[in-house]
Amino acid sequence: RTFLGYRGEYFFEKSDGKSYIDVTIQPKEDKFYILGLVSDPRGKRKTYDRITDGVTVRTEEWDRNGLLFNAQIGKRFNDLLLRGGLLESTGGFGVDFFAMRDNLKLTFEAFDFDLDRDPHMKVFGEYQILKHLYLTAGWDDFLNRDNDSLFAGFAIRFEDEDLKYLLTSAPIPK
């Protein structure tokens, strides 16, 4: 099975938005792969060490150029789904818990690990209100008081039979 999805989030503290586009490939009921792009107005956090007169000064900057990438593999165990890989172009993992016959999903994500700062952690819920439409709300980067924000948004997700046939019939170069 192949699914296409879009999720948009509006950050209240930053008055800005973030967008995700994902393709989920599910070869078995309990196994899947996610490939996606993320448009984050904050960009990617980069850390630089500069040495001036023998003193190392660490600075943190946000690279706002380009898109961020998701590439994850996951496995579902009843109502619990575990996944890991690249989350927003950094290593990380996620845990999803499904309830109400999969109409409600509660998610915890952790990524962007560094010894000198707290990782980026995010919690949110997603509730299906129509067949392909979901409402979402949560708290992003809650360990980082300079960058944390409550958010709300929506998601659209649907199964795409045509994409599945394109992916399985594409010739493999030798």
Side-chain angles (χ1 to χ4, degrees):
R1 298 172 70 184
T2 305
F3 299 89
L4 294 176
Y6 167 82
R7 186 173 80 236
E9 300 170 348
Y10 177 78
F11 294 102
F12 295 108
E13 280 80 5
K14 305 295 181 190
S15 298
D16 218 336
K18 188 175 189 176
S19 297
Y20 301 79
I21 295 177
D22 291 321
V23 175
T24 301
I25 302 167
Q26 185 177 2
K28 297 180 182 178
E29 277 300 313
D30 65 340
K31 184 178 180 182
F32 67 94
Y33 305 95
I34 298 174
L35 300 172
L37 297 173
V38 181
S39 174
D40 187 345
R42 295 173 293 187
K44 183 176 180 181
R45 184 172 24 197
K46 297 199 180 231
T47 304
Y48 300 97
D49 288 332
R50 293 187 175 94
I51 300 173
T52 306
D53 297 327
V55 176
T56 302
V57 176
R58 176 159 287 195
T59 58
E60 198 173 89
E61 296 175 0
W62 291 89
D63 181 5
R64 290 176 170 76
N65 298 322
L67 295 171
L68 304 174
F69 300 95
N70 288 332
Q72 301 172 55
I73 185 170
K75 178 130 174 96
R76 184 165 176 169
F77 303 93
N78 296 319
D79 291 335
L80 187 67
L81 189 144
L82 305 175
R83 55 190 165 82
L86 283 179
L87 282 82
E88 300 188 21
S89 296
T90 66
F93 66 91
V95 178
D96 302 316
F97 177 76
F98 293 89
M100 300 170 54
R101 297 189 340 227
D102 288 358
N103 289 326
L104 176 65
K105 179 175 79 167
L106 303 174
T107 297
F108 169 79
E109 293 180 337
F111 55 95
D112 196 10
F113 295 95
D114 191 311
L115 295 174
D116 297 326
R117 66 173 182 262
D118 291 326
H120 189 136
M121 291 193 182
K122 181 176 188 173
V123 292
F124 64 97
E126 201 172 78
Y127 182 72
Q128 185 176 11
I129 58 171
L130 297 172
K131 184 176 181 180
H132 302 290
L133 184 63
Y134 304 79
L135 292 180
T136 184
W139 190 9
D140 187 48
D141 208 3
F142 58 84
L143 292 180
N144 184 352
R145 293 292 175 212
D146 295 330
N147 200 44
D148 72 320
S149 183
L150 296 174
F151 67 89
F154 72 96
I156 299 171
R157 192 172 304 110
F158 58 92
E159 187 170 3
D160 189 337
E161 293 291 328
D162 298 330
L163 186 59
K164 175 176 70 174
Y165 292 116
L166 284 173
L167 290 173
T168 58
S169 64
I172 298 174
K174 294 182 181 185

